[in-house]
């Protein structure tokens, strides 16, 4: 490839870079700055203001006026810590469930004949294209107390939920209701993110040469041994890609915990939303956002590397 | 030779697909339910669809959403394709790490963070919030998806075709337009569709960056959902799902045809 050619290709980066600089990178600095502003003055325009016309003194004054009060409050308040920990826990558990469910699906897709494989990829992607909000909404109708799940169980005559509820009622407990529980949040997250787990797994599994398994068989491996010694270790990049692709956005997820988790489920995405829209406390919302970004930087960097290797490998 | 799918494989596929599609099927079925109750089947009826047609507020937000999606998908496709060209062909240029970081990060960045940071930007520059701010925000969100889709296609495109055109005296930009672009066109079209539907769907970023008078459809659905499950929401959801499914399957057919032609 000629150097001149490469230069021209690089010039193509200018417009998207400017756009992302203005609309993606720069706004992060604004969030950081706002998180260090005074709460009392937290209505636009926020104090302190950076006065660049005052030169170095202006910058020094600005830096001196920044304070970490908001962060102090975040650290001191149990609510934020609890939300932080439960976000991590819920995202980690859901990622684990996704791996357990997604791997067999991706593996089964690869074992199908090529024509069926293409159709199956489309079948897995299709729900991802339909509205996230609508798919989560669909689960409300299923999980709510007088919902379709209970109706279905009742129709088959099993009614384990009703029996359980009767038992619970007898000892004076509230009836079991899946909606507005953490279980519902897991169901929603697994449901919404399943395509993101299956597709990276499918991509690595599909590229594995079938001859490897033959070789393993020739060397005396049983199919199960061959899976654990050849197929699975070789699919680990896909496992990592899928896990990161699901875990990172799930930590900050808002729609699922809000609609399915009810008021007891605490997650950071919901905290940011509430601080912002209900409490109108912009500095606190920003501080929570900064804490979230800082936590996600390591997985984000890993994801970055993965993407680069995946899309630009061998160049 | 690869063995065919085992019973276990077929079972996991069956269960997986049921899990993915059952809620959607139920939602669609109950949009035709004459009864207002979710669990009671009151007979087939189109009355909720009829009621939608008279809901002026809802229709206005549909129009707003479609306009935002069309504009942001178009700008994102332009910028995202440029970014894909730079990343596949630019080699190692200074600032490349930051650039690719900025391109891929929005893929996984939680939406609340994107929404909040963009809102602060719009407040800082004093931009009136509404159609334009939501469009700009959605462009930022969808740009990275476009880049990933186009990049995958560009990476497999045989570079020598373009070089041959240049050897025959074609200026580079014309070679790109006449040789490369038609070849990656299916991917670019698919990327536009993806950007369009992502914008159509987005609730969180739109809520942060929108202002009075620019309520999008997901925002309207969200506020209705908070009040409970109603057949009207099922009906509008069914229409959306039908629209998107048709588009995706069409894009899939276009793309497979393009791939087949390219490999011929």
């Amino acid at each position: 490839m000629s150097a001149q050619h490469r230069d021209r290709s690089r010039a193509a980066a200018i417009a998207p870079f400017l756009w992302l600089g203005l609309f993606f990178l720069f706004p992060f600095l604004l969030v950081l700055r706002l998180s260090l502003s005074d709460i009392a003055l937290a209505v636009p325009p926020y104090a302190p203001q950076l006065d660049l016309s005052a030169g170095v003194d202006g910058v020094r004054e600005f830096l001196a006026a920044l304070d970490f009060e908001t962060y102090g409050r975040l650290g001191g308040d149990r609510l934020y810590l609890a939300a932080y920990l439960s976000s991590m826990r819920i995202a980690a558990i859901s990622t684990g469930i996704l791996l357990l469910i997604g791997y067999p699906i991706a593996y089964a897709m690869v074992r199908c004949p090529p024509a069926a494989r293409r159709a199956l990829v489309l079948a897995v992607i299709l729900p991802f294209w339909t509205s996230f909000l609508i798919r989560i909404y669909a689960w409300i109708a299923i999980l709510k107390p007088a919902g379709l799940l209970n109706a279905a169980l009742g129709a088959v005559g099993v009614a384990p939920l009703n029996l359980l509820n009767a038992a619970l009622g007898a000892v004076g407990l509230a009836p079991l209701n899946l909606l507005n529980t953490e279980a519902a949040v897991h169901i929603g997250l697994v449901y919404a993110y399943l395509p993101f787990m299956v597709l990276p797994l499918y991509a690595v599994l599909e590229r594995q040469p079938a001859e490897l398994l033959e070789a393993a068989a020739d060397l005396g491996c049983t199919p199960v041994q061959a899976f654990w010694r050849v197929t699975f270790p070789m699919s680990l990049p896909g496992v990592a890609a899928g896990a990161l692709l699901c875990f990172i956005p799930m930590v900050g997820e808002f729609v699922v915990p809000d609609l399915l988790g009810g008021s007891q489920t605490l997650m950071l995405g919901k905290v940011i939303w509430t601080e912002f829209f209900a409490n109108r406390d912009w500095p606190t919302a920003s501080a929570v956002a900064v804490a979230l970004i800082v936590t996600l930087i390591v997985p984000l960097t890993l994801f970055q590397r993965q993407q680069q290797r995946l899309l630009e490998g061998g160049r | 030779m690869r063995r065919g799918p085992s019973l276990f494989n077929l079972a996991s596929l069956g269960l997986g697909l049921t899990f993915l599609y059952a809620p959607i099927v139920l939602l669609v079925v109950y949009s035709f339910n004459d009864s207002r109750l979710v669990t009671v089947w009151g007979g087939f009826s189109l009355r909720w669809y009829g009621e939608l047609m008279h809901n002026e507020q809802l229709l206005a937000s549909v129009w707003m959403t479609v306009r935002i999606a069309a504009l942001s998908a178009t700008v994102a496709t332009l910028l995202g394709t440029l970014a894909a060209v730079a990343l596949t062909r630019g080699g190692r240029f200074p600032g490349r790490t930051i650039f690719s970081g900025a391109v891929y990060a929005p893929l996984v960045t939680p939406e609340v963070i994107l929404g909040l940071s963009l809102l602060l930007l719009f407040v800082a520059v004093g931009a009136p919030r509404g159609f334009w701010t939501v469009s700009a925000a959605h462009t930022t969100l969808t740009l990275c998806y476009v880049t990933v889709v186009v990049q995958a296609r560009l990476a497999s495109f045989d570079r020598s075709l373009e070089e041959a055109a240049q050897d025959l005296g074609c200026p580079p930009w014309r070679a790109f337009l006449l040789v490369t672009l038609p070849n990656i066109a299916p991917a670019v079209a698919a990327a536009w569709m993806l950007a369009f539907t992502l914008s159509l769907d987005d609730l969180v970023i739109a809520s942060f960056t929108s202002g009075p008078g620019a309520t999008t459809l997901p925002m309207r659905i969200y506020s209705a959902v908070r009040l409970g499950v109603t057949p009207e929401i099922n009906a509008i959801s069914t229409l959306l799902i039908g629209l998107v499914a048709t588009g995706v399957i069409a894009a899939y057919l276009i793309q497979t045809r393009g791939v087949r032609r390219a490999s011929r």
Side-chain angles (χ1 to χ4, degrees):
Chain A
M1 204 187 296
S2 70
Q4 191 192 12
H5 221 115
R6 217 174 279 155
D7 287 344
R8 222 172 267 116
S9 301
R10 284 170 193 177
I14 296 173
F17 201 14
L18 286 178
W19 181 280
L20 289 167
L22 177 62
F23 289 103
F24 184 68
L25 300 175
F26 178 61
F28 275 143
L29 298 179
L30 292 175
V31 175
L32 189 63
R33 201 206 68 175
L34 182 57
S35 73
L36 298 169
S37 308
D38 279 324
I39 300 169
L41 297 162
V43 274
Y46 297 93
Q49 297 255 63
L50 179 54
D51 186 8
L52 279 178
S53 56
V56 184
D57 286 338
V59 175
R60 195 174 300 142
E61 226 169 88
F62 168 76
L63 287 177
L66 290 177
D67 66 54
F68 290 85
E69 194 191 330
T70 317
Y71 288 96
R73 241 164 36 87
L74 283 193
D77 195 328
R78 274 286 171 78
L79 174 88
Y80 297 109
L81 189 66
Y84 182 87
L85 292 177
S86 79
S87 288
M88 295 293 153
R89 193 190 69 234
I90 290 174
I93 294 175
S94 283
T95 306
I97 302 174
L98 274 164
L99 266 174
L100 288 178
I101 297 181
Y103 204 102
I105 296 177
Y107 187 69
M109 284 166 70
V110 176
R111 297 281 290 274
C112 288
R117 265 188 247 169
R118 268 199 298 278
L120 284 169
V121 170
L122 182 68
V124 171
I125 297 179
L126 200 55
F128 159 69
W129 289 73
T130 55
S131 171
F132 194 83
L133 183 62
I134 290 173
R135 282 182 293 146
I136 297 307
Y137 162 75
W139 276 99
I140 301 181
I142 297 173
L143 296 175
K144 67 184 204 159
L148 293 167
L149 183 63
N150 279 352
L153 291 174
V156 234
V158 193
L161 219 53
N162 292 347
L163 279 178
L164 189 65
N165 286 343
L168 286 171
V171 288
L173 287 171
L176 181 72
N177 168 17
L178 272 179
L179 190 64
N180 299 335
T181 62
E182 199 176 300
V185 176
H186 286 302
I187 293 175
L189 286 175
V190 168
Y191 181 68
Y193 285 89
L194 191 58
F196 287 99
M197 183 57 89
V198 172
L199 292 176
L201 288 173
Y202 171 78
V204 289
L205 288 172
E206 201 216 4
R207 266 182 308 198
Q208 261 177 33
E211 293 80 23
L212 286 177
L213 289 181
E214 266 174 60
D218 288 346
L219 294 171
C221 256
T222 65
V224 176
Q225 273 178 324
F227 174 82
W228 287 112
R229 291 192 167 184
V230 180
T231 310
F232 186 72
M234 280 185 71
S235 68
L236 283 177
V239 172
L244 290 170
L245 203 55
C246 295
F247 179 80
I248 304 172
M250 282 197 304
V251 173
E253 181 55 54
F254 164 73
V255 176
V256 177
D258 185 63
L259 291 180
L260 300 179
S263 53
Q264 331 155 8
T265 314
L266 276 175
M267 280 185 86
L268 287 177
K270 239 175 90 179
V271 171
I272 296 177
W273 181 283
T274 316
E275 290 297 350
F276 189 83
F277 286 105
N279 304 348
R280 308 230 160 247
D281 187 347
W282 292 21
T284 304
S286 304
V288 178
V290 170
L292 183 54
I293 296 168
V294 169
T295 315
L296 292 180
I297 273 183
V298 174
L300 265 172
T301 320
L302 288 175
F303 173 73
Q304 204 70 33
R305 294 246 180 89
Q306 194 85 37
Q307 276 292 312
Q308 242 159 354
R309 234 176 302 153
L310 218 64
L311 285 166
E312 297 152 27
R315 212 160 311 267
Chain B
M1 218 188 75
R2 229 183 264 268
R3 287 167 304 148
S6 67
L7 209 59
F8 173 72
N9 294 150
L10 290 176
S12 38
L13 271 183
L15 286 174
L17 291 178
T18 311
F19 177 59
L20 280 177
Y21 283 94
I24 300 176
V25 171
L26 284 173
L27 178 117
V28 170
V29 167
Y30 276 89
S31 75
F32 297 108
N33 185 4
D34 194 47
S35 158
R36 192 162 255 291
L37 297 167
V38 201
T39 40
V40 180
W41 181 256
F44 180 87
S45 139
L46 288 174
R47 73 185 251 223
W48 308 114
Y49 290 88
E51 276 178 28
L52 282 184
M53 293 304 125
H54 301 294
N55 192 335
E56 305 249 317
Q57 271 192 327
L58 194 80
L59 293 179
S61 62
V62 169
W63 178 227
M64 169 67 70
T65 312
V66 168
R67 273 162 56 218
I68 290 173
L71 176 64
S72 65
T74 308
V75 180
T77 304
L78 274 172
L79 293 173
T81 305
L82 284 173
V85 169
L87 284 172
T88 12
R89 300 183 167 180
R92 304 222 153 270
F93 55 89
R96 188 196 161 100
T97 314
I98 303 179
F99 181 61
S100 68
V103 171
Y104 298 135
L107 265 177
V108 287
T109 309
E111 287 185 323
V112 268
I113 293 181
L114 274 180
L116 178 67
S117 63
L118 279 162
L119 170 71
L120 294 186
L121 172 74
F122 297 138
V123 170
V125 298
R129 277 179 275 150
F131 173 78
W132 294 104
T133 49
V134 180
S135 300
H138 281 179
T139 304
T140 314
L141 168 75
T142 55
L143 197 160
C144 53
Y145 288 88
V146 172
T147 306
V148 170
V149 172
V150 175
Q151 209 180 347
R153 182 81 189 99
L154 259 183
S156 65
F157 170 65
D158 187 2
R159 198 64 204 278
S160 55
L161 284 175
E162 199 180 317
E163 277 160 3
Q166 285 180 38
D167 287 346
L168 294 171
C170 203
W173 60 271
R174 275 196 70 187
F176 182 81
L177 284 183
L178 293 177
V179 180
T180 314
L181 205 56
N183 261 288
I184 60 168
V188 174
W192 188 89
M193 291 267 325
L194 178 60
F196 185 84
T197 48
L198 282 168
S199 165
L200 210 63
D201 274 357
D202 169 71
L203 162 76
V204 176
I205 294 174
S207 303
F208 273 102
T209 54
S210 170
T215 309
T216 64
L217 184 61
M219 287 162 72
R220 240 184 236 303
I221 294 178
Y222 175 69
S223 51
V225 166
R226 301 222 55 169
L227 300 176
V229 178
T230 63
E232 286 101 329
I233 310 177
N234 283 24
I236 185 88
S237 304
T238 302
L239 289 178
L240 258 179
I241 291 170
L243 187 78
V244 169
T246 316
V248 174
I249 293 171
Y252 168 78
L253 292 177
I254 294 170
Q255 211 175 1
T256 43
R257 223 178 37 197
V259 171
R260 231 173 278 153
R261 200 183 301 145
S263 61
R264 210 172 277 162

